[in-house]
């Protein structure tokens, strides 16, 4: 475990402006660590208490202080990501994902109706035929059954309901494959969803699971296909996710690692997508961007206090 003072000496806290509201936010704050092995990203969402956020810090420290595993592939297929925007804005969003052959569409947004989801999905499907949707656990079983019928052919429904029991019941009632996200990354036992027969696909995110090594260990045991996704990461976190996807023995689905397009500015110039793929390569933030995007002093101190609390838990 690196010393706290060494971590804080290497710390940059940034605030990245977003093009549209995503997960209820328009500015994404992140703490970046310039480590001896590379850059690490600590971006646990503000509402996460230290016991959960500590996993995200462990991931950042792994990336900053240890080399990534050897890659099996040098590029990763990427899905387009469509926030819960009006259907009329879909072409504008999809234009930021050139060559993507799969799109993930946010649904079940508070304040919106199923009709809004249907209109958004149909607008996406007019451009990209392979569509998956993400409800972030926002539906009841009955609502998910209704949505599966209304939304038409889908690659899968991601976290349609909140609990493992609900996912298992839903999976018995619909033909559309079910993917689990929160039921894995927020669970005490990330393998419980597979043991319960509650999902066809596992959506894994590096930071919430504690780093690439932990993610690969889970992927090796979970027994269902894996999709690597981001947690609204900066270019640093996206690079970490790409390295994780590159090390998977088997990668059957496009990954949700194209979310850098959600930002109007980022800490590094990321390579463009080519034919729906992103290359696997390390990312070094631009010092000028780190300065321009630096969070205010009070917010930097908030992240320092948070890192201190999480480090105390990891050091036990």
């Amino acid at each position: 475990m690196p010393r706290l003072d060494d971590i804080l000496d290497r710390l940059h806290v940034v605030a990245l402006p977003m093009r549209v509201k995503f997960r209820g936010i328009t500015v994404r704050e992140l703490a970046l660590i310039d480590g001896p092995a590379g850059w690490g990203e600590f971006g646990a969402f503000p509402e996460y208490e230290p016991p959960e956020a500590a996993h995200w810090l462990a991931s950042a420290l792994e990336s900053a202080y240890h080399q990534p595993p050897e890659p099996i592939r040098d590029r990763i297929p990427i899905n387009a990501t469509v926030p819960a925007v009006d259907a009329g804005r879909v072409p504008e969003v999809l234009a930021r994902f050139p060559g993507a052959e799969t799109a993930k569409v946010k649904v079940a947004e508070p304040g919106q109706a199923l009709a809004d989801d249907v209109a958004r999905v149909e607008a996406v499907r007019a451009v990209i035929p392979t569509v998956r949707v993400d409800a972030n656990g926002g539906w009841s079983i009955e609502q998910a059954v209704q949505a599966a019928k209304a939304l038409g052919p889908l690659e899968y429904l991601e976290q349609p309901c909140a609990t493992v029991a609900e996912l298992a019941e839903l999976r018995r009632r619909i033909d559309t494959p079910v993917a689990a996200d929160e039921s894995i990354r927020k669970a005490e036992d990330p393998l419980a969803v597979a043991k319960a027969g509650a999902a066809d696909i596992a959506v894994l995110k590096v930071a919430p699971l504690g780093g690439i090594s932990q993610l690969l260990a889970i992927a090796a045991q979970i027994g269902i296909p894996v999709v690597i996704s981001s947690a609204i990461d900066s270019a640093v976190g996206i690079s970490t996710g790409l390295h994780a996807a590159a090390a998977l023995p088997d990668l059957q689905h496009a990954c949700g690692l194209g979310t850098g397009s959600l930002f109007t500015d980022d800490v590094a110039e990321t390579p463009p997508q080519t034919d729906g793929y992103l290359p696997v390569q390390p990312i070094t933030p631009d010092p000028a961007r780190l300065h321009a995007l630096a969070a205010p002093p009070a917010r930097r101190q908030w992240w320092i206090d948070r890192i201190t609390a999480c480090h105390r838990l990891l050091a036990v």
Side-chain angles (χ1 to χ4, degrees):
M1 175 63 59
R3 299 190 320 274
L4 178 62
D5 59 350
D6 187 64
I7 297 168
L8 298 183
D9 283 345
R10 301 172 179 275
L11 186 67
H12 299 263
V13 179
V14 296
L16 307 183
M18 304 184 70
R19 297 181 190 278
V20 296
K21 183 180 290 188
F22 195 83
R23 205 185 175 278
I25 61 174
T26 55
V27 175
R28 178 69 163 122
E29 286 188 354
L30 299 157
L32 304 177
I33 302 166
D34 182 4
W39 284 78
E41 177 171 309
F42 174 53
F45 296 112
E47 68 270 20
Y48 291 4
E49 296 297 328
E52 184 172 359
H55 296 290
W56 298 62
L57 181 59
S59 175
L61 297 180
E62 181 186 65
S63 295
Y65 289 86
H66 300 279
Q67 293 295 329
E70 285 296 317
I72 295 172
R73 54 192 68 84
D74 61 6
R75 64 177 194 156
I76 305 300
I78 301 299
N79 67 253
T81 299
V82 181
V85 297
D86 182 86
R89 295 191 62 187
V90 164
E92 162 200 340
V93 173
L94 293 181
R96 295 195 284 270
F97 300 90
E101 297 182 354
T102 301
K104 180 170 88 168
V105 184
K106 287 290 184 177
V107 293
E109 180 79 0
Q112 295 187 3
L114 178 57
D116 300 306
D117 297 335
V118 170
R120 189 180 311 113
V121 166
E122 288 180 349
V124 171
R125 194 177 280 123
V127 181
I128 297 178
T130 302
V131 179
R132 58 182 70 155
V133 301
D134 183 5
N136 290 117
W139 288 324
S140 67
I141 293 174
E142 293 304 324
Q143 288 172 324
V145 170
Q146 181 183 5
K149 294 177 181 177
L151 292 170
L154 296 171
E155 183 184 23
Y156 58 72
L157 289 171
E158 180 175 332
Q159 200 67 44
C161 306
T163 70
V164 171
E166 288 174 317
L167 294 182
E169 173 63 23
L170 176 65
R171 191 163 171 254
R172 288 191 287 269
R173 294 182 56 181
I174 64 173
D175 294 328
T176 305
V178 172
D181 174 10
E182 287 88 346
S183 290
I184 295 172
R185 63 181 168 88
K186 297 176 78 71
E188 288 187 15
D189 178 7
L191 303 178
V193 69
K195 294 173 184 174
D200 301 280
I201 295 153
V203 178
L204 304 184
K205 298 178 179 178
V206 177
L209 294 175
I212 293 178
S213 58
Q214 284 290 101
L215 182 150
L216 294 176
I218 291 168
Q221 299 174 67
I222 203 161
I224 53 178
V226 166
V227 171
I228 307 296
S229 190
S230 85
I232 321 184
D233 301 329
S234 78
V236 171
I238 292 296
S239 176
T240 303
L242 289 168
H243 278 89
L248 282 173
D250 185 37
L251 185 63
Q252 300 179 22
H253 300 274
C255 290
L257 296 170
T259 53
S261 66
L262 296 173
F263 301 124
T264 59
D265 202 358
D266 204 340
V267 295
E269 191 69 40
T270 55
Q273 288 188 40
T274 303
D275 298 327
Y277 287 79
L278 280 175
V280 179
Q281 61 187 50
I283 288 291
T284 300
D286 179 349
R289 293 186 183 214
L290 288 173
H291 177 75
L293 295 166
R299 294 305 302 165
R300 175 180 170 84
Q301 187 58 52
W302 185 88
W303 281 92
I304 288 173
D305 294 343
R306 196 176 196 209
I307 289 170
T308 301
C310 292
H311 185 271
R312 190 178 301 120
L313 293 176
L314 293 176
V316 172

